[in-house]
């Protein structure tokens, strides 16, 4: 069973989900799922189409925002749009959760919802050290 790591009351991350995890996510009150992992990255990984069908059958909105490496600007912007425009709480996943926490963190900085120090602290409480992203967070954060 995959661990859902709560970052805020509205957002959590996880490593690779399996179809059965989506029913559990719905039962735990999640309303939206984001996948940040490209299709076919590993042998045996469920496809986006398979996961979307299972998610929608469980009543979950499902968004595919895949990338490898660092989140490109388009993925950050799309993440911000999904987070602002879909029902929460949101559960995002990738192979380990690290891509999902980075996409969330940069989206939060971009929208100015949280300050870089708050973002880093929340990610740390969820078990992710994103201190190395401070420069990017500071660059994206609105200047006051």
């Amino acid at each position: 069973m995959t661990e859902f790591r709560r970052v805020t009351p509205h957002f959590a991350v996880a490593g690779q989900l399996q179809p059965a995890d989506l029913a559990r996510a719905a039962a735990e009150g999640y309303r939206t799922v984001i996948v940040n992992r490209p299709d076919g990255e590993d042998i045996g990984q469920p496809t986006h189409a398979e996961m979307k069908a299972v998610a929608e059958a469980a009543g979950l909105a499902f968004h595919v925002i895949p990338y490898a490496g660092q989140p490109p600007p388009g993925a950050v912007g799309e993440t911000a749009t999904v987070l602002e425009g879909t029902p929460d709480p949101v559960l995002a996943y990738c192979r380990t959760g690290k891509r999902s926490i980075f996409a969330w963190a940069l989206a939060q900085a971009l929208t100015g919802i949280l300050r870089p120090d708050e973002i880093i602290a929340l990610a740390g409480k969820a078990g992710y050290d994103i201190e190395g992203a401070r420069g990017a967070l500071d660059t994206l954060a609105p200047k006051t």
Side-chain angles (χ1 to χ4, degrees):
M1 184 161 40
T2 304
E3 177 184 9
F4 302 163
R5 295 182 178 195
R6 195 61 89 150
V7 180
T8 72
H10 308 284
F11 183 78
V13 296
Q16 178 64 55
L17 296 180
Q18 297 300 318
D21 292 317
L22 296 173
R24 181 170 58 97
E28 290 183 19
Y30 291 95
R31 299 181 62 206
T32 300
V33 174
I34 299 172
V35 58
N36 295 119
R37 191 166 190 204
D39 249 347
E41 190 173 54
D42 281 335
I43 295 172
Q45 164 190 339
T47 66
H48 295 156
E50 177 184 3
M51 294 297 280
K52 180 177 182 172
V54 174
E56 289 177 348
L60 298 166
F62 191 83
H63 298 272
V64 179
I65 310 174
Y67 68 92
Q70 299 298 318
V76 173
E78 191 174 350
T79 299
T81 299
V82 168
L83 292 173
E84 289 177 8
T86 60
D88 60 41
V90 174
L91 175 62
Y93 75 94
C94 58
R95 183 184 312 190
T96 64
K98 199 165 189 179
R99 273 178 275 201
S100 295
I101 196 73
F102 275 107
W104 169 83
L106 294 171
Q108 295 301 293
L110 179 65
T111 60
I113 292 171
L114 296 170
R115 296 185 324 263
D117 286 340
E118 295 171 310
I119 295 166
I120 291 168
L122 288 167
K125 287 180 183 175
Y128 294 97
D129 179 2
I130 64 166
E131 183 64 46
R134 182 177 291 279
L137 295 170
D138 286 339
T139 298
L140 287 173
K143 308 305 177 242
T144 56

